[in-house]
Amino acid sequence: MHTIIRFILFVAMACTLSAQAELVKVKGKGEIVYKTKIFKPGQGSAEERAAITEAKKNALTRFAAAFDSARFELYKKIEPDVLGNIDQYVTDYTQLDQQVDKTSKRYTVVIEASINSTLIESAINKSSNANGPTAAGAIPAKAGGSYMTFVFVARELASIKDYDAKRTTVDINESSSAARQNKNVAEDAQSAETSLDKSSVVKHTTGGNTETKAAEVTYRVMTVTEVDNAVNSVLTKASYEVVDPVDAGLSVDSFKADFASGSDISAATRTIAIKNCKQKEITYIAIANMDVGLPEKDEATGLTRVFVTVTAKVSDLSPKFPKTIASIAGKPYAGLGSNPQVAKQNALNEAATRSASELVDQLRMKGVK
């Protein structure tokens, strides 16, 4: 009975740890040159273990290659520690293939590694918080971070009104004629017959211009609770003290109205937002516009796919004049789902999480806390 209880507790603990850590599967290849005359894989030799270790390192390198430039630079700072404790970050692996080249005495192994991305994220956070300089002029928050507020607005096409091209045509007709008179003498030489041949030429010239009027696009603008929660989570984990936009004195409706008709907020909305944030000692403001694309079929999976394109920037309000310290210019993120609504929601969540993480990485690179 006690054995069963211990087993149940072990399984529960394992499930809890799996839920907390996100494992990413990445393939890796390792290769070593063996010195023995005869090499047999599967014996657990030092050479075989060394090849597997190289494969794990290669998998981590491939994993980091998918990072954006800012995150990759942050990862490079902790890479020596990660590679030095490879088994801590690569929790397990599955061997996919192996080859022995007896001529060159090379042993190659291919694995699929399970990388603990949560642990790598934690190491990046720890390194950034410990070593990064404090931004000049920043107003420290009570909990050790800087106050930040954000507005992430999503919009999708409501209607498109196209106009037919207007064509203006000018016709010019020119004509000319010529005549020739012929005289024929009759056989009796006493009379004559006269005839007149006429020919005419008509010249037709066409010209003009075509005028095309731009389509009128109407957007449906919204804020999404899941998006706000995702962004809030990323910023909070990065040690920023997040202030709700309403508490910061921002009019979210003004942001929505501006994005409904353009790609940026109006000068009036921006001025009021900056003024209110400065009065409440909020150091940073992040503003993002998320354009939701039309649903389409994903050929690889057969599911519905929706792209969300994000344009965002973070402004530092501590100087006399606000300055942009991080930005994303029209970056697309995709979401899949069984139907357009699910695909759109997944795309919004993906876009919110990844764009917020990219902005945070850019801030970390500049030592902004």
Side-chain angles (χ1 to χ4, degrees):
M1 183 66 180
H2 293 291
T3 302
I4 296 175
I5 293 175
R6 284 197 298 269
F7 176 75
I8 293 174
L9 290 174
F10 174 78
V11 172
M13 290 176 63
C15 292
T16 302
L17 292 174
S18 298
Q20 292 175 347
E22 183 178 353
L23 300 180
V24 180
K25 302 285 188 180
V26 183
K27 291 182 176 62
K29 183 174 74 171
E31 184 179 88
I32 56 98
V33 177
Y34 59 88
K35 298 180 180 180
T36 58
K37 293 183 178 180
I38 300 176
F39 180 81
K40 293 183 178 181
Q43 304 297 318
S45 63
E47 291 89 348
E48 189 173 358
R49 292 196 301 271
I52 291 175
T53 298
E54 290 302 314
K56 291 178 180 180
K57 292 180 179 180
N58 181 252
L60 269 171
T61 301
R62 290 170 179 263
F63 171 72
F67 292 163
D68 60 75
S69 57
R71 172 157 290 248
F72 184 75
E73 291 301 321
L74 292 170
Y75 169 76
K76 293 296 288 184
K77 295 179 180 179
I78 66 167
E79 186 178 45
D81 180 70
V82 172
L83 297 180
N85 299 275
I86 191 72
D87 291 331
Q88 183 179 353
Y89 295 92
V90 178
T91 56
D92 56 50
Y93 68 93
T94 301
Q95 185 169 312
L96 302 178
D97 190 21
Q98 61 181 354
Q99 294 179 355
V100 178
D101 188 337
K102 296 180 180 180
T103 302
S104 61
K105 287 191 172 185
R106 292 181 181 276
Y107 172 64
T108 305
V109 61
V110 179
I111 67 171
E112 184 178 63
S114 297
I115 299 176
N116 190 331
S117 61
T118 304
L119 200 58
I120 291 179
E121 173 67 20
S122 176
I124 290 176
N125 288 342
K126 184 178 179 180
S127 173
S128 301
N129 293 334
N131 301 324
T134 303
I139 303 174
K142 294 179 181 180
S146 298
Y147 287 122
M148 175 184 285
T149 188
F150 67 90
V151 179
F152 274 53
V153 176
R155 67 181 185 181
E156 58 185 353
L157 286 174
S159 65
I160 301 178
K161 184 178 181 180
D162 288 321
Y163 293 90
D164 293 335
K166 184 175 72 175
R167 175 70 180 169
T168 302
T169 304
V170 178
D171 291 336
I172 300 175
N173 294 321
E174 299 178 359
S175 63
S176 62
S177 60
R180 185 179 64 182
Q181 184 174 339
N182 298 320
K183 291 184 178 181
N184 297 323
V185 180
E187 293 181 357
D188 58 6
Q190 299 296 319
S191 61
E193 182 181 282
T194 302
S195 64
L196 189 65
D197 294 335
K198 291 185 177 181
S199 64
S200 63
V201 177
V202 178
K203 184 180 180 181
H204 184 70
T205 303
T206 302
N209 58 78
T210 301
E211 178 184 350
T212 303
K213 190 175 180 181
E216 290 185 2
V217 180
T218 303
Y219 290 100
R220 182 166 47 250
V221 186
M222 56 197 159
T223 53
V224 184
T225 302
E226 290 80 3
V227 168
D228 291 344
N229 291 340
V231 176
N232 202 331
S233 175
V234 172
L235 296 178
T236 301
K237 289 178 181 178
S239 300
Y240 291 99
E241 292 295 315
V242 183
V243 181
D244 188 277
V246 175
D247 297 333
L250 305 185
S251 173
V252 178
D253 289 338
S254 297
F255 283 80
K256 292 168 65 176
D258 290 343
F259 281 129
S261 56
S263 298
D264 204 350
I265 60 173
S266 65
T269 301
R270 176 178 172 81
T271 300
I272 295 173
I274 292 174
K275 179 180 179 181
N276 290 338
C277 287
K278 284 192 171 186
Q279 287 178 349
K280 297 179 183 297
E281 297 185 342
I282 296 174
T283 310
Y284 307 112
I285 179 172
I287 301 172
N289 177 27
M290 311 173 71
D291 279 310
V292 181
L294 297 175
E296 58 186 35
K297 182 179 180 180
D298 180 59
E299 297 298 334
T301 62
L303 298 173
T304 301
R305 180 177 59 195
V306 171
F307 280 98
V308 172
T309 304
V310 178
T311 301
K313 65 180 178 181
V314 179
S315 298
D316 183 359
L317 308 181
S318 58
K320 181 177 180 180
F321 298 103
K323 61 180 181 179
T324 301
I325 54 176
S327 62
I328 298 174
K331 191 167 185 176
Y333 303 92
L336 298 175
S338 56
N339 57 63
Q341 185 61 33
V342 174
K344 181 180 78 171
Q345 189 60 58
N346 289 338
L348 285 170
N349 291 342
E350 177 76 1
T353 302
R354 292 184 58 186
S355 61
S357 297
E358 183 169 344
L359 290 173
V360 166
D361 289 339
Q362 292 183 36
L363 296 177
R364 287 168 172 166
M365 283 298 300
K366 295 183 178 180
V368 177
K369 296 181 180 180

